[in-house]
């Protein structure tokens, strides 16, 4: 079982366990829908979420109303998930500088759900699933009172942990794991779950020999007075390693098969652009409230 410190160094490149997973994936028909696989990007507006449960391994969504350039109120959300690289992001900005606008809360989310099959484990044998989510984020409110938060969560089986960034500056990790020889923890770089899976805890093949893996990032402006500006963003970089006398395969054969998270760069660019917009809006809001305005 790896410590959180060991996990930091493990995912600078592709691990042997990840290579094992990639090597055991079955090829897929282009139109196939994979049971147990779902990625979703959602936020800002009535439009339906961008969801994939089939061949597509990446989703992304932009939403909102109004524009910062117009000088009034606006909302903007950006979210995306790439299951092949494990990169995910969610960011949201709400400005009420121009008056009452939008129905609160304003939320953006990116979520990943997947089944990791464990084939060939025998009585008395044990598999170990180790997952990490490099988790970053932040939240800010300016110009008026309000509340915003960002969060990232990681789940493997019944073990889970959530990291929350609040606009008050508070950062908290909430772990929940009661399986024997398993743990959920976090440090400055991210979230970590190690799940020990004895054969006896798996259901009978072929329907019950798997564990459920999920990760979510979320940005939310939950309360905001006029003329405030609130912004929140969360990012995640998912990695999974599996070891033991078994074969491991994901429900979607492209999951975590690309070592370089190129899509994460697009997410970083989106966060930077929207954060710059939020900062400009916050400065305008503060200026409108200052005595010299």
């Amino acid at each position: 079982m790896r410590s959180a410190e060991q996990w930091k160094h493990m995912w600078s490149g592709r691990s042997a366990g990840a290579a094992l997973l990639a090597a055991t994936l079955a090829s897929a028909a282009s139109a196939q829908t994979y049971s147990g696989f779902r990625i979703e990007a959602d936020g800002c507006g009535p439009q339906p979420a961008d969801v994939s449960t089939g061949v597509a391994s990446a989703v992304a969504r932009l939403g909102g109303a109004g524009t910062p350039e117009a000088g009034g109120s606006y909302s903007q959300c950006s979210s995306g998930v790439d299951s092949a690289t494990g990169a995910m992001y969610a960011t949201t900005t709400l400005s009420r500088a121009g008056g009452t606008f939008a129905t609160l809360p304003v939320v953006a989310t990116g979520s990943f759900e997947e089944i990791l099959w464990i084939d060939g484990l025998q009585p008395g044998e044990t598999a170990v699933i180790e997952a990490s989510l490099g988790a970053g984020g932040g939240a800010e409110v300016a110009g008026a009172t309000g509340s915003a938060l960002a969060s990232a969560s990681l789940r493997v089986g019944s073990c889970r942990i959530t990291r929350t960034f609040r606009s008050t500056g508070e950062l908290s990790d909430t772990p929940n794991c009661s399986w024997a020889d398993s743990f959920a923890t976090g440090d400055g770089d991210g979230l970590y779950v190690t799940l020990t899976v004895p054969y006896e805890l798996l259901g009978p093949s072929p329907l019950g020999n798997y564990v459920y893996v999920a990760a979510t990032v979320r940005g939310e402006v939950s309360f905001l007075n006029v003329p405030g500006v609130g912004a929140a963003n969360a990012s995640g970089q998912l990695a999974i390693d599996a070891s033991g006398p078994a074969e491991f395969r994901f429900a979607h054969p492209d999951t975590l098969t690309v070592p370089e998270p190129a899509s994460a760069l697009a997410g970083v660019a989106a966060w930077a652009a929207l954060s710059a917009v939020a900062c400009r809006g916050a400065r305008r809001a503060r200026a409108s409230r200052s005595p010299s305005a």
Side-chain angles (χ1 to χ4, degrees):
M1 182 182 299
R2 293 180 176 85
S3 67
E5 183 67 26
Q6 290 171 319
W7 264 104
K8 293 182 186 180
H9 305 289
M10 177 179 167
W11 289 102
S12 57
R14 221 54 186 153
S15 71
L20 169 65
L21 290 175
T24 59
L25 297 175
S27 61
S30 61
Q32 185 172 357
T33 295
Y34 302 106
S35 176
F37 168 78
R38 177 184 174 90
I39 51 177
E40 177 177 324
D42 194 15
C44 266
Q47 302 93 339
D50 190 345
V51 177
S52 175
T53 56
V55 67
S57 60
V59 295
R61 186 172 187 274
L62 291 169
T67 61
E69 292 77 15
S73 297
Y74 65 89
S75 63
Q76 289 186 337
C77 290
S78 175
S79 56
V81 178
D82 188 333
S83 66
T85 66
M88 54 201 313
Y89 64 92
T91 184
T92 185
T93 302
L94 173 64
S95 167
R96 300 186 75 175
T100 301
F101 181 86
T103 300
L104 291 167
V106 177
V107 180
T109 59
S111 62
F112 166 95
E113 301 174 8
E114 176 71 284
I115 282 177
L116 177 59
W117 295 94
I118 304 174
D119 298 324
L121 202 66
Q122 299 298 316
E125 296 179 338
T126 298
V128 177
I129 313 300
E130 298 176 298
S132 70
L133 184 68
E140 181 181 4
V141 171
T145 57
S147 178
L149 63 85
S151 65
S153 63
L154 175 64
R155 173 185 171 188
V156 184
S158 62
C159 289
R160 68 185 70 194
I161 181 168
T162 298
R163 171 164 294 175
T164 304
F165 309 83
R166 300 186 183 277
S167 54
T168 58
E170 178 187 359
L171 170 65
S172 61
D173 288 345
T174 307
N176 186 344
C177 184
S178 58
W179 277 34
D181 300 320
S182 303
F183 74 88
T185 188
D187 65 12
D189 289 337
L191 307 176
Y192 311 90
V193 172
T194 293
L195 187 73
T196 301
V197 188
Y199 168 85
E200 289 71 21
L201 289 182
L202 290 175
S205 178
L207 298 179
N209 54 323
Y210 64 86
V211 296
Y212 178 78
V213 180
T216 300
V217 291
R218 174 185 173 96
E220 173 181 336
V221 180
S222 56
F223 169 72
L224 189 64
N225 277 320
V226 176
V229 177
N233 70 80
S235 63
Q237 179 60 53
L238 179 66
I240 300 171
D241 183 34
S243 59
E247 293 184 350
F248 305 91
R249 57 187 172 90
F250 287 112
H252 193 302
D254 288 338
T255 294
L256 299 181
T257 55
V258 178
E260 294 298 330
S263 64
L265 299 178
V268 169
W271 309 323
L274 289 176
S275 295
V277 166
C279 288
R280 289 196 298 270
R283 287 194 291 269
R284 287 197 298 266
R286 284 194 292 267
S288 69
R289 293 169 58 89
S290 68
S292 60

